[in-house]
Amino acid sequence: GENVEQHPSTLSVQEGDSAVIKCTYSDSASNYFPWYKQELGKRPQLIIDIRSNVGEKKDQRIAVTLNKTAKHFSLHITETQPEDSAVYFCAARPTGRRALTFGSGTRLQVQP
Amino acid sequence: KAGVTQTPRYLIKTRGQQVTLSCSPISGHRSVSWYQQTPGQGLQFLFEYFSETQRNKGNFPGRFSGRQFSNSRSEMNVSTLELGDSALYLCASSFGFGPTDTQYFGPGTRLTVL
C-alpha cells in the first residue's frame, strides 16, 4: 500500500519568513495530493491540493509543488503569520482507491 | 451550506463496552470516510462508504464496523472497547467517488476508554 513520509516533524520560523514542508510517497499510482491544516482542538481543513497532471499550484501565500518522477511534493508558505501556526498534514491517494494515506504531520510554529 | 457534523463530540467509556458514533455529511455528499487520529499513529483510515456500500477498509480489527444510510449519514461502531481505542475519530465527506474528490472533515468525536 501507499506510504507517505513527512519532514520535518516540527518547524519554527520567524513571522514573515517562508516555511517549507516536504513529503515523499511510495505508490507511483498516486495522483491526488491534498494538504490539511489542523489547529489545536479543531478539524483538519483542506488548504490546497494538487492533481498529478499539474506540477505546481498557488493560492495567495500558499503553494504546492509536485515531482512525480522523484515521488515527492512540498508545501510552501510565504510571509508566514502567527495564525499559520498549526499542524500540517500531507496526504496521497492512488488512482482507483479512495482512502487517503496521511503523513505524520508537521507542527509549524510562527514566532511573532 | 452546513459542514460535516459528528455526534457526540465527546465520549467516555470503559473497557469492554461498545460505542456508536454518528456522522452527517455535507448536504449532497454521498461518500463518507472514517479516520482514527492518535498522537502515536497519526491519521489512519478506517473505512469508506458510498451509496450505502462499504467501498474500502483499512487495517483495523473486526471490532470496528460501520454503515451508511440512504440519506448518506453514517455510523461507526466499536465493540469490546480497549484502552488503545482512545482517539479522535474523524469522518470526512465528499461529493462522489472520484479519485480526486476533495474530502471535508467533521470536528471529530473524542473517545476516551478507561
Side-chain angles (χ1 to χ4, degrees):
Chain A
E2 177 64 280
N3 182 51
V4 177
E5 294 192 358
Q6 183 172 347
H7 300 281
S9 56
T10 59
L11 180 59
S12 182
V13 300
Q14 290 295 126
E15 183 177 358
D17 287 350
S18 294
V20 180
I21 302 170
K22 299 182 179 181
C23 290
T24 59
Y25 61 98
S26 60
D27 191 334
S28 57
S30 287
N31 68 343
Y32 177 61
F33 308 91
W35 286 87
Y36 287 86
K37 173 185 179 182
Q38 188 175 28
E39 296 176 71
L40 190 63
K42 300 206 174 164
R43 72 187 75 191
Q45 298 263 24
L46 179 76
I47 56 171
I48 196 167
D49 57 14
I50 191 167
R51 274 80 176 171
S52 63
N53 59 342
V54 175
E56 182 176 4
K57 184 177 178 181
K58 286 184 180 179
D59 183 4
Q60 299 183 331
R61 297 185 297 108
I62 293 172
V64 57
T65 58
L66 171 64
N67 184 327
K68 287 221 75 181
T69 302
K71 289 191 280 187
H72 67 70
F73 56 113
S74 301
L75 178 71
H76 303 252
I77 306 174
T78 58
E79 299 172 24
T80 53
Q81 300 166 4
E83 52 265 38
D84 294 330
S85 297
V87 178
Y88 291 80
F89 292 95
C90 63
R93 184 164 67 207
T95 303
R97 293 199 64 224
R98 288 285 302 155
L100 286 171
T101 299
F102 284 87
S104 54
T106 296
R107 184 174 298 279
L108 173 64
Q109 187 165 9
V110 180
Q111 308 283 359
Chain B
K1 197 181 267 190
V4 179
T5 59
Q6 292 185 244
T7 56
R9 294 293 312 277
Y10 302 92
L11 264 179
I12 299 176
K13 293 285 187 178
T14 56
R15 282 180 298 173
Q17 288 187 307
Q18 74 165 21
V19 66
T20 299
L21 313 181
S22 180
C23 172
S24 292
I26 292 171
S27 178
H29 283 195
R30 297 182 297 163
S31 178
V32 174
S33 298
W34 287 89
Y35 295 86
Q36 182 195 64
Q37 185 174 28
T38 59
Q41 299 297 318
L43 275 155
Q44 291 191 294
F45 171 73
L46 281 155
F47 28 65
E48 177 180 30
Y49 289 87
F50 180 77
S51 293
E52 302 177 65
T53 302
Q54 187 181 93
R55 302 293 178 139
N56 216 341
K57 191 175 191 305
N59 295 323
F60 279 81
R63 300 184 297 107
F64 292 81
S65 62
R67 58 179 176 168
Q68 186 181 35
F69 302 95
S70 58
N71 62 358
S72 295
R73 190 177 68 86
S74 178
E75 289 181 346
M76 68 164 280
N77 185 77
V78 188
S79 62
T80 319
L81 284 166
E82 300 177 0
L83 296 179
D85 297 333
S86 294
L88 181 67
Y89 290 88
L90 293 158
C91 78
S93 77
S94 60
F95 177 74
F97 200 63
T100 59
D101 276 4
T102 301
Q103 293 191 355
Y104 298 91
F105 282 87
T109 294
R110 183 162 298 281
L111 172 64
T112 301
V113 182
L114 303 176

